[in-house]
Amino acid sequence: MRLITKVAQEMHNLLLYVDSAVCSRPLQVSNNVRFISQFANPEWAEKVLEGGQLKTSDPDWRRSGAESVEEYEIWVTTICGMACTVMALEFFNQSNYPTITLAKDALLHSVYQKYGEHLSDMRYREYVSWIRNYNLSATCYSRLTLSGIKHLLSHNSLAIVSVNPNIRGYSTAPTDQKGGHLVLITGYNDTDHSITIQNPSGFTSTRTQQNHTINYKYFQKYFAGRGIALYCPPEVKMD
């Protein structure tokens, strides 16, 4: 079974690589996606990650869907992928979910694993199966390129990609760390060589949260080369 899964994954990688190499695409794609922070109060990303404030001090924690501030504390720094998913669900399906409400459902479907008070990173293969419950389709890529991302966006997808957390412009992880954080890619511009991301743990003061535009070279410095394409199933039409 593992071999079949691995072969299927490599086929996805290869098909996207070929398509992105031979297919034409527009010079730019821009999607109007409303920003959602993984912190209930977006300003608390900076207060917690740089300022050292307690996660439990977030005054808006109830908006997250957590049943207690202690539950919020367990989840808040793990749900970058769920914040990206909430943004995508609203964009494609006009539906809205609190981040931790969505995360707890994902946990029931093994998208996360819980070890005592600790949570695993978001698991891609399980995510692909789970997100179908919300009328979205997903494909994961273990060998994703910038060209592949642009191809996906030009074909009505959004992309959740793995990056080093330091992409926000503040160092919280080793510089050579591969991945560790997820952001949502919403657009690109080949004219000025820039890509637009929604960063669930970006900072308000440095404007690295919503519609954060960075050049390709800077993005490549932090990009881990893997991610998930999100799109409407063929039978579902966007308005």
Side-chain angles (χ1 to χ4, degrees):
M1 186 66 179
R2 286 184 178 179
L3 178 59
I4 294 173
T5 301
K6 186 174 182 179
V7 170
Q9 178 65 79
E10 290 302 331
M11 284 298 297
H12 288 313
N13 293 333
L14 179 60
L15 287 171
L16 179 59
Y17 178 80
V18 172
D19 285 345
S20 63
V22 303
C23 295
S24 62
R25 61 173 176 262
L27 284 176
Q28 69 178 74
V29 170
S30 178
N31 290 301
N32 184 20
V33 178
R34 187 173 74 91
F35 174 74
I36 302 290
S37 173
Q38 66 192 80
F39 289 81
N41 185 318
E43 293 184 0
W44 248 251
E46 188 169 358
K47 292 178 185 294
V48 170
L49 297 173
E50 183 180 12
Q53 293 205 31
L54 297 175
K55 302 170 192 173
T56 53
S57 65
D58 187 332
D60 298 326
W61 65 266
R62 290 178 180 82
R63 294 181 184 175
S64 69
E67 295 181 13
S68 67
V69 71
E70 290 78 17
E71 184 176 58
Y72 178 75
E73 182 180 24
I74 291 170
W75 277 104
V76 65
T77 52
T78 307
I79 55 172
C80 47
M82 289 298 105
C84 292
T85 304
V86 170
M87 288 186 262
L89 285 170
E90 183 174 298
F91 175 74
F92 286 115
N93 296 342
Q94 292 80 53
S95 55
N96 186 269
Y97 297 89
T99 50
I100 293 179
T101 299
L102 199 66
K104 289 192 288 185
D105 184 59
L107 177 65
L108 295 176
H109 292 81
S110 301
V111 177
Y112 297 97
Q113 293 289 314
K114 195 170 185 180
Y115 308 99
E117 296 300 298
H118 299 284
L119 292 155
S120 71
D121 293 335
M122 194 178 83
R123 302 167 74 184
Y124 287 20
R125 185 165 60 86
E126 288 79 3
Y127 180 96
V128 168
S129 298
W130 165 74
I131 198 63
R132 294 178 190 140
N133 299 326
Y134 294 86
N135 296 319
L136 274 189
S137 289
T139 304
C140 61
Y141 298 96
S142 58
R143 301 176 192 272
L144 187 58
T145 64
L146 177 58
S147 180
I149 292 171
K150 292 190 287 185
H151 178 81
L152 291 170
L153 264 66
S154 68
H155 287 76
N156 302 315
S157 294
L158 298 177
I160 298 175
V161 302
S162 179
V163 296
N164 183 298
N166 298 341
I167 198 171
R168 70 173 69 89
Y170 179 76
S171 182
T172 59
T175 55
D176 60 350
Q177 177 178 304
K178 295 283 284 185
H181 182 47
L182 296 170
V183 298
L184 186 69
I185 309 291
T186 62
Y188 69 86
N189 189 326
D190 277 338
T191 301
D192 61 12
H193 304 282
S194 67
I195 198 161
T196 301
I197 69 172
Q198 304 282 40
N199 187 343
S201 67
F203 293 170
T204 53
S205 69
T206 56
R207 299 181 180 179
T208 55
Q209 286 186 335
Q210 55 185 318
N211 300 321
H212 180 37
T213 301
I214 54 181
N215 65 53
Y216 291 159
K217 185 176 180 180
Y218 185 86
F219 173 73
Q220 295 276 37
K221 177 181 177 181
Y222 298 102
F223 180 40
R226 56 183 180 266
I228 301 171
L230 288 171
Y231 48 94
C232 285
E235 66 274 13
V236 178
K237 294 183 179 180
M238 292 178 62
D239 292 336

